[in-house]
Amino acid sequence: MSTIKYPTGIHMNVSTTIQDRHSRRGMSLESDVNDSNAYYREMDKAVIYKKPTPVQVVKVDYPARNKAKIVEAYYKTPSTTDYNGIYRGKYIDFEAKETKNKVNFPLLMIHDHQIRHLKQVTKHGGIGFFIIRFNAHSKTYLVDSDLLIAEIERTDKSSIPYSWFETNGDLIQEGLFPRLSYLKNVDARYFKEEK
Amino acid sequence: MSTIKYPTGIHMNVSTTIQDRHSRRGMSLESDVNDSNAYYREMDKAVIYKKPTPVQVVKVDYPARNKAKIVEAYYKTPSTTDYNGIYRGKYIDFEAKETKNKVNFPLLMIHDHQIRHLKQVTKHGGIGFFIIRFNAHSKTYLVDSDLLIAEIERTDKSSIPYSWFETNGDLIQEGLFPRLSYLKNVDARYFKEEK
């Protein structure tokens, strides 16, 4: 039961961690992306956050002083993607999705407002992409948003085959710190000439 | 009771609008900033949104199929500022605050996590600022985040005098479309050499 002493004071139990890697299939992509962003912020590499889920608050009670309790609220549809921030001076914007489907990525997982938003982002000079995990393959890809949106608009099917992602996506390396080193893929795809 | 036909299909009643300008003191800065951002997105000038207020959801009921009702939740402290997005290829990040105080801006209105976040933003090459409205003067200023944070860290007082903002802030022009033309101030301050 040794522990890794992480430079910035985060301690992690090795045996738990190894066990985690075995049960990764059950872990959510969202928590992996959030952990990776926390790591990148801690390392001062990038400032990227998940946006809070928008909630329409209808009724608030004040059972104790200074303590507002929301007692009626509803989830709202977000207008944008889930993640944005800054990396190497550039605006970064992406959406993360995971599927258990072995052969296809179902297109109903990507919403019109996300497509519209990512189109605007790249038009204004930002970097836009999707992070898509295929749980059945234990593989996570970074896919350029313009590329995937073009394919969505080209196809008349309700899904895109896994093989398309193998060809057009950038396989993200998975590990401990960070769980998803997706900024390496961003470097390779969007900062090629500056290397 | 004539109406202005707005190019993209937004209609506005002129008399209501003029009345609004008289009662602007009671309107919130947040709604002015949100309206301005909607205008800028509509005009395809910038893609800037307010982040949703983060809420910790504790209990959800499902009174009807496909309709989740949140019945217990609490407001969480945000980790970042309220607004971010992209303009002219640059990452933009800011916080908006308004005060009724005539002579001072009280520093307890700006939180440590906002200062920390804006420092990170400018360090990584983004544009960071505050939009600060003095309701008693009917004046709204854009203040560079590095400038205001330096002043906050320099002073041993619990507030910064209004006169400091007159000297160091950029007065934002107010109108109908957009309510706050703060991107003009961004142009002047951050894109000078490119004009």
Side-chain angles (χ1 to χ4, degrees), chain A residues 18-139:
Chain A
I18 288 161
Q19 198 187 337
D20 277 354
R21 299 187 79 178
H22 282 283
S23 58
R24 278 294 275 288
R25 209 174 284 205
M27 289 186 65
S28 86
L29 176 60
E30 182 181 318
S31 79
D32 281 359
V33 173
N34 289 344
D35 285 358
S36 305
N37 287 339
Y39 171 86
Y40 283 137
R41 287 196 305 270
E42 196 64 52
M43 295 286 102
D44 207 17
K45 284 265 289 175
V47 186
I48 298 168
Y49 283 91
K50 182 178 188 295
K51 291 184 197 171
T53 307
V55 159
Q56 178 72 53
V57 175
V58 177
K59 191 159 175 275
V60 180
D61 277 355
Y62 295 88
R65 228 201 299 226
N66 298 326
K67 178 99 174 156
K69 181 183 177 185
I70 299 163
V71 294
E72 187 181 353
Y74 302 92
Y75 290 108
K76 284 197 294 187
T77 308
S79 331
T80 66
T81 49
D82 273 353
Y83 298 91
N84 77 353
I86 184 168
Y87 175 55
R88 293 177 68 172
K90 297 283 273 179
Y91 176 81
I92 299 279
D93 197 300
F94 64 96
E95 185 66 27
K97 297 285 182 197
E98 61 186 323
T99 179
K100 292 193 170 96
N101 195 309
K102 258 191 183 157
V103 290
N104 286 309
F105 177 76
L107 289 183
L108 50 79
M109 295 190 75
I110 296 179
H111 306 296
D112 286 348
H113 65 266
Q114 292 161 346
I115 290 176
R116 205 162 42 234
H117 177 69
L118 282 165
K119 276 182 172 180
Q120 285 186 306
V121 163
T122 61
K123 190 178 168 190
H124 285 266
I127 292 172
F129 52 86
F130 293 87
I131 291 181
I132 293 181
R133 174 176 287 173
F134 290 88
N135 285 301
H137 297 275
S138 300
K139 294 259 197 293

Side-chain angles (χ1 to χ4, degrees), chain B:
Chain B
M1 281 288 232
S2 61
T3 54
I4 293 171
K5 189 148 185 244
Y6 187 63
T8 47
I10 301 168
H11 296 259
M12 246 189 137
N13 187 294
V14 174
S15 59
T16 313
T17 309
I18 288 161
Q19 199 187 337
D20 277 355
R21 298 187 80 178
H22 283 284
S23 57
R24 278 293 275 287
R25 208 174 286 204
M27 290 186 63
S28 86
L29 175 61
E30 181 179 319
S31 79
D32 282 0
V33 173
N34 290 344
D35 285 358
S36 306
N37 288 339
Y39 171 87
Y40 284 137
R41 288 197 303 269
E42 197 63 53
M43 295 286 102
D44 206 19
K45 285 264 290 174
V47 186
I48 298 169
Y49 283 90
K50 182 179 188 296
K51 291 183 198 171
T53 307
V55 159
Q56 178 72 52
V57 175
V58 176
K59 192 159 174 276
V60 181
D61 277 357
Y62 295 88
R65 228 201 299 225
N66 296 330
K67 177 102 175 156
K69 182 184 177 185
I70 299 163
V71 293
E72 186 181 353
Y74 301 93
Y75 290 107
K76 283 198 294 187
T77 308
S79 331
T80 65
T81 49
D82 274 353
Y83 299 91
N84 78 352
I86 184 167
Y87 175 55
R88 293 175 68 172
K90 296 281 275 179
Y91 176 82
I92 300 278
D93 197 300
F94 65 95
E95 186 65 30
K97 298 285 182 196
E98 62 186 323
T99 178
K100 293 192 170 97
N101 195 308
K102 258 191 183 156
V103 290
N104 286 309
F105 178 77
L107 289 184
L108 49 78
M109 296 190 73
I110 295 178
H111 305 295
D112 285 348
H113 66 265
Q114 292 161 346
I115 290 176
R116 205 162 42 233
H117 177 69
L118 283 166
K119 276 183 172 179
Q120 285 187 305
V121 163
T122 62
K123 189 178 169 190
H124 284 266
I127 292 172
F129 53 85
F130 293 87
I131 291 181
I132 293 181
R133 175 177 286 173
F134 289 88
N135 285 301
H137 298 275
S138 300
K139 294 259 196 297
T140 309
Y141 293 94
L142 182 150
V143 193
D144 177 65
S145 60
D146 287 345
L147 209 60
L148 182 55
I149 290 168
E151 185 63 14
I152 290 170
E153 292 177 342
R154 197 199 54 77
T155 188
D156 51 4
K157 305 239 173 64
S158 62
S159 63
I160 290 175
Y162 176 64
S163 59
W164 186 90
F165 292 88
E166 287 183 294
T167 307
N168 296 284
D170 307 323
L171 186 65
I172 297 174
Q173 189 189 313
E174 307 201 24
L176 287 181
F177 302 114
R179 288 201 181 279
L180 294 167
S181 56
Y182 72 90
L183 288 183
K184 280 191 194 167
N185 304 88
V186 171
D187 284 338
R189 178 168 284 269
Y190 301 103
F191 291 90
K192 266 181 285 215
E193 65 289 353
E194 294 173 35
K195 275 236 157 149

